[in-house]
């Protein structure tokens, strides 16, 4: 289907019995992070941005949905502070009211509070509401409420009040308690609010403990044993897995899980050991949130065709459906009403966006011109994404970039997780290069918020994507860039494995990434770009790239496939 046909599908869908059922019993979409707005500190990167796009698309298309996450009082995107030559993150408290969230109250105006058993005590959680409204011009849209729980309540101890302080906190016990609050507390909250979801959609495994609460309901409501209740619960759960990388799949020591879940298991009347088997990694003493999610889901999907194929090799007993991610067009399209049919129209519009990006780079001391070829790389800084690929051969890149007749510039944005030692080393090296031998031709931008991302994916000329093939599950930043006519230069990983890049961009050889990037840059990209500025051939590739995303990689298509393959 093309984009217009996808929109028509939803018009037809709203007249079906399936849609009528969802109106009565909506989808409950759970995720540890949501990128809803720059000011709301509830996201760190791609997972949260995808979740934000899902709820925005659901609002535009009128898909009945309620979303559940956590509110992190100190967030994840923190300030940078230089301490003895090393850059460290400094976080501050961000009260939810200060970013436009409203407390959830009952008819009497009292806060809605849920109790969550953790160890031998009760932890209390409240919730904050953020309404995602349909985009301008969306037909038959509906508000999707996003409820974000936190434990910052006087009724809790100081340590329990801090459970939800930080997104992806490094302490394993706190992280596990967060996931209990999200899963068990989140489901209890949804029910307290009067929702009776037909489907529980786990976006990654962080919320998988909600499946235990579903088992508890089935045991009590149907007078079933534990094993029978599991089968009933599974019918209502779907799971989206995003990564094959171990760091993206939460694992805990069995003893820690036993300790933290002891109170809940006592409440449930099921031995802890029986509960542990649901997430047990075969022949180990490790509990995996991914294994719990897979064993307790009726349907599992990967986020690209290649990812689903690779996942089937890893988890042979849990076949995955391939539903490639998409992007919310109104959020990421810098040219929503533009007509690019005339020669030169697209390049002129792009140059305006590029100038806006270049203006923002002035704060980092770069005075670059709009006719200089601008390469962009922006995502989490971690080993498998290989952020150093373009500058591995520093001298050769510098020589190519400084040629007076065809100058090249490079912007790199993103940051590693504070506990990723290798990522921190890479960041240090990037800073050394961009403030040293490559200062005139490259820049590192530490901020990578939604607003920064919108500038980058519409203002660069070429979008670099350099992961080791098989490690990047989808990679939606390249879709956003291509939507805006920024040409992809990528290894054939994630969504890129599904397209033919000829006439759109350039494939990169994953096995010899550093050398190949420079070879293709010098041989193919620079000559096509033109001097000065964008050539006619380049502009045609821009049109091709944009049309490809509209036709194949919109969140409209993604949510349509959710409705057909997961929610039915």
């Amino acid at each position: 289907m093309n984009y217009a046909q996808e929109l028509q599908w939803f018009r037809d869908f709203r007249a079906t019995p399936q849609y009528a059922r969802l109106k009565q019993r909506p989808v409950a979409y759970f995720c540890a992070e949501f990128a809803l707005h720059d000011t709301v500190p509830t996201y760190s990167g791609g997972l949260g941005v995808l979740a934000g796009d899902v709820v925005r698309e659901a609002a535009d298309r009128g898909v009945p949905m309620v979303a559940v996450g956590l509110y992190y009082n100190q967030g994840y995107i923190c300030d940078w502070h230089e301490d003895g030559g090393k850059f460290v993150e400094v976080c501050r408290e961000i009260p939810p009211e200060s970013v436009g969230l409203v407390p959830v109250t009952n008819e009497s105006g009292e806060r809605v509070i849920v109790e969550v058993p953790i160890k031998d005590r009760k932890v209390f959680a409240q919730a904050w509401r953020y309404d995602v409204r349909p985009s301008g011009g969306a037909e038959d849209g509906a508000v999707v409420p996003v409820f974000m729980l936190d434990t910052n309540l006087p009724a809790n101890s100081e340590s329990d009040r801090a459970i939800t302080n930080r997104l992806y906190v490094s302490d394993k016990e706190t992280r596990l308690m967060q996931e209990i609050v999200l899963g068990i507390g989140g489901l209890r909250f949804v029910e307290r609010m009067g929702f009776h979801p037909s489907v529980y959609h786990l976006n990654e495994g962080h919320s998988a403990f909600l499946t235990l609460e579903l088992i508890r309901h089935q045991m009590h409501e149907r007078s079933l044993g534990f094993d029978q209740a599991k089968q009933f619960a599974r019918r209502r759960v779907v799971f989206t897995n995003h990564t094959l990388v171990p760091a993206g799949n939460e694992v805990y020591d069995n003893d820690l899980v036993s300790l933290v879940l002891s109170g809940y298991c006592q409440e449930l009347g099921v031995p802890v050991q029986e509960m542990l088997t649901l997430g047990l990694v075969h022949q180990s003493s490790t509990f995996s949130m991914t294994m719990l999610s897979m064993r307790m889901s009726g349907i599992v999907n990967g986020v690209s065709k290649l990812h689903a194929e690779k996942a089937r090799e890893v988890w042979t007993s849990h076949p995955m459906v391939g539903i490639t991610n998409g992007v919310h067009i109104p959020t990421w399209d810098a040219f929503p009403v533009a007509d690019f049919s005339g020669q030169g129209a697209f390049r002129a519009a792009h140059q305006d966006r590029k100038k806006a990006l270049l203006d923002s780079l002035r704060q980092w001391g770069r005075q670059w011109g709009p006719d200089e070829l601008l390469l962009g790389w922006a995502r989490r800084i971690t080993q498998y994404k290989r952020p150093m690929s373009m500058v591995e051969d520093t001298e050769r890149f510098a020589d190519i970039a400084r040629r007076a007749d065809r100058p090249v510039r490079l912007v790199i944005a993103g940051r590693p997780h504070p506990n990723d030692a290798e990522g921190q080393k890479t960041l240090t090296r990037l800073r050394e290069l961009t403030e040293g031998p490559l200062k005139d031709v490259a820049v590192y931008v530490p901020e990578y918020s939604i607003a920064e991302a919108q500038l980058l994916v519409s203002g660069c000329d070429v979008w670099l994507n350099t992961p080791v093939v098989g490690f990047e599950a989808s990679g939606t930043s390249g879709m956003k860039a291509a939507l805006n006519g920024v040409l992809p230069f990528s290894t054939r990983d994630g969504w890129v494995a599904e397209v033919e890049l000829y006439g759109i961009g350039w494939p990169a050889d994953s096995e010899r990434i550093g050398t190949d990037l420079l070879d293709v840059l010098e041989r193919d990209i620079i000559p096509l770009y033109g001097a000065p500025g964008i050539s006619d051939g380049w502009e045609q590739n821009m049109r091709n790239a944009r049309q490809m995303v509209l036709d194949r990689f919109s969140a409209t298509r993604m949510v349509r496939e959710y409705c057909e393959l997961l929610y039915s």
Side-chain angles (χ1 to χ4, degrees):
M1 295 186 189
N2 60 34
Y3 190 51
Q5 291 169 327
E6 299 285 3
L7 297 177
Q8 183 59 49
W9 185 91
F10 278 98
R11 296 186 192 105
D12 297 338
F13 176 61
R14 285 190 283 271
T16 64
Q18 181 191 351
Y19 183 80
R21 286 195 297 272
L22 288 178
K23 287 284 284 185
Q24 295 295 318
R25 304 186 66 184
V27 175
Y29 185 81
F30 279 68
C31 190
E33 53 172 305
F34 286 89
L36 302 169
H37 189 275
D38 268 338
T39 61
V40 183
T42 52
Y43 70 101
S44 71
L47 180 67
V49 173
L50 185 278
D53 277 8
V54 167
V55 295
R56 282 186 282 269
E57 192 66 44
D60 284 358
R61 304 301 144 231
V63 176
M65 179 178 285
V66 53
V68 181
L70 297 178
Y71 184 79
Y72 305 95
N73 290 282
Q74 295 178 0
Y76 178 88
I77 301 174
C78 302
D79 298 326
W80 287 87
H81 174 69
E82 189 169 4
D83 182 12
K86 182 180 179 181
F87 283 84
V88 296
E89 287 187 311
V90 179
C91 291
R92 56 187 174 84
E93 295 284 338
I94 307 171
E97 301 97 323
S98 71
V99 294
L101 272 63
V102 295
V104 178
T105 58
N106 60 22
E107 292 178 355
S108 302
E110 301 167 325
R111 297 282 179 99
V112 175
I113 307 294
V114 294
E115 295 181 3
V116 184
I118 294 179
K119 295 184 179 178
D120 58 353
R121 64 186 187 275
K122 300 289 187 183
V123 174
F124 301 94
Q126 63 185 337
W128 304 87
R129 179 168 176 152
Y130 183 102
D131 283 340
V132 176
R133 301 184 182 279
S135 307
E139 299 178 11
D140 301 314
V143 171
V144 173
V146 182
F147 297 107
M148 289 169 272
L149 279 67
D150 85 56
T151 59
N152 187 20
L153 285 166
N156 290 326
S157 67
E158 283 298 316
S159 60
D160 285 345
R161 292 184 69 166
I163 287 173
T164 54
N165 268 357
R166 289 291 306 276
L167 172 57
Y168 299 142
V169 63
S170 57
D171 178 71
K172 295 292 282 186
E173 183 173 338
T174 304
R175 190 93 153 247
L176 181 61
M177 289 190 289
Q178 283 185 353
E179 294 177 339
I180 291 172
V181 172
L182 173 60
I184 296 173
L187 181 48
R188 291 182 174 186
F189 174 81
V190 165
E191 293 188 330
R192 282 282 299 277
M193 292 300 293
F195 295 103
H196 300 285
S198 58
V199 177
Y200 293 88
H201 187 163
L202 315 184
N203 191 39
E204 264 306 353
H206 304 293
S207 57
F209 286 127
L210 76 80
T211 63
L212 307 185
E213 187 72 355
L214 283 175
I215 292 172
R216 186 174 78 89
H217 284 194
Q218 297 299 326
M219 291 175 68
H220 290 176
E221 291 178 8
R222 299 175 183 266
S223 299
L224 299 175
F226 183 70
D227 287 334
Q228 285 180 299
K230 281 192 303 185
Q231 300 311 313
F232 275 95
R234 286 183 72 249
R235 298 176 187 176
R236 299 173 62 190
V237 180
V238 299
F239 170 48
T240 297
N241 174 264
H242 284 263
T243 181
L244 304 178
V245 179
N249 293 287
E250 294 282 9
V251 293
Y252 300 99
D253 183 82
N254 277 351
D255 290 340
L256 175 61
V257 179
S258 297
L259 174 66
V260 177
L261 278 179
S262 58
Y264 183 75
C265 290
Q266 186 174 4
E267 184 179 297
L268 188 60
V270 173
V272 172
Q273 197 59 43
E274 192 165 0
M275 196 73 78
L276 286 175
T277 59
L278 295 178
L280 186 69
V281 175
H282 186 58
Q283 296 183 332
S284 79
S285 59
T286 301
F287 185 93
S288 163
M289 297 298 285
T290 298
M291 292 312 305
L292 173 60
S293 301
M294 289 189 172
R295 289 175 181 143
M296 285 304 302
S297 296
I299 306 174
V300 182
N301 80 280
V303 290
S304 71
K305 301 297 187 290
L306 178 61
H307 172 231
E309 178 185 318
K310 295 287 185 182
R312 285 191 286 267
E313 297 173 3
V314 176
W315 295 297
T316 54
S317 300
H318 304 277
M320 285 194 188
V321 177
I323 301 178
T324 304
N325 283 343
V327 297
H328 183 240
I329 300 300
T331 296
W332 299 105
D333 187 2
F335 317 108
V337 295
D339 178 8
F340 295 139
S341 58
Q343 192 68 38
F346 206 162
R347 77 183 90 174
H350 171 73
Q351 288 302 90
D352 288 341
R353 298 298 303 172
K354 185 174 180 179
K355 288 171 184 174
L357 173 58
L358 294 175
D359 285 345
S360 76
L361 296 180
R362 293 178 188 275
Q363 65 182 302
W364 308 107
R366 304 309 192 267
Q367 306 285 332
W368 294 341
D371 288 331
E372 296 168 353
L373 177 62
L374 184 59
L375 315 177
W377 187 102
R379 50 190 47 82
R380 183 164 54 90
I381 293 175
T382 191
Q383 273 190 304
Y384 80 85
K385 295 178 185 284
R386 301 188 292 195
M388 301 292 293
S389 297
M390 183 57 79
V391 295
E392 277 180 1
D393 188 337
T394 304
E395 289 187 9
R396 186 181 172 198
F397 173 75
D399 174 66
I400 294 171
R402 290 177 180 140
R403 293 172 188 172
D405 58 333
R406 301 283 181 94
V408 177
R409 304 293 179 251
L410 171 65
V411 55
I412 296 177
R415 55 180 63 177
H417 188 279
N419 298 310
D420 181 355
E422 288 302 317
Q424 294 289 346
K425 288 179 184 178
T426 300
L427 175 58
T428 299
R429 179 59 178 152
L430 276 173
R431 286 185 176 276
E432 290 172 350
L433 288 176
T434 57
E435 294 302 321
L438 296 178
K439 185 172 184 177
D440 59 323
V441 295
V443 63
Y444 168 69
V445 177
E447 282 83 5
Y448 191 36
S449 62
I450 295 174
E452 290 284 344
Q454 288 170 327
L455 269 179
L456 288 161
V457 298
S458 62
C460 291
D461 296 306
V462 173
W463 197 254
L464 299 171
N465 186 41
T466 52
V468 179
V469 171
F471 282 74
E472 187 72 272
S474 183
T476 56
S477 68
M479 300 175 189
K480 298 159 193 167
L483 173 67
N484 292 296
V486 179
L487 305 189
F489 186 14
S490 175
T491 58
R492 291 192 178 278
D493 204 15
W495 71 276
V496 181
E498 300 172 29
V499 301
E500 172 52 64
L501 286 179
Y502 180 78
I504 295 173
W506 303 268
D509 187 340
S510 182
E511 299 300 319
R512 47 188 296 272
I513 186 70
T515 301
D516 190 63
L517 288 179
L518 294 177
D519 287 347
V520 175
L521 175 65
E522 193 170 22
R523 182 186 67 235
D524 300 326
I525 298 177
I526 292 174
L528 181 62
Y529 183 68
I534 297 171
S535 69
D536 290 348
W538 188 283
E539 185 178 32
Q540 183 56 52
N541 282 18
M542 294 170 71
R543 289 193 185 89
N544 297 343
R546 179 178 176 82
Q547 196 60 50
M548 171 192 69
V549 175
L550 289 172
D551 287 346
R552 299 182 58 183
F553 298 107
S554 69
T556 311
R557 186 269 310 151
M558 174 180 64
V559 172
R560 187 256 301 167
E561 291 187 357
Y562 285 173
C563 291
E564 290 181 321
L565 302 175
L566 303 184
Y567 302 159
S568 61

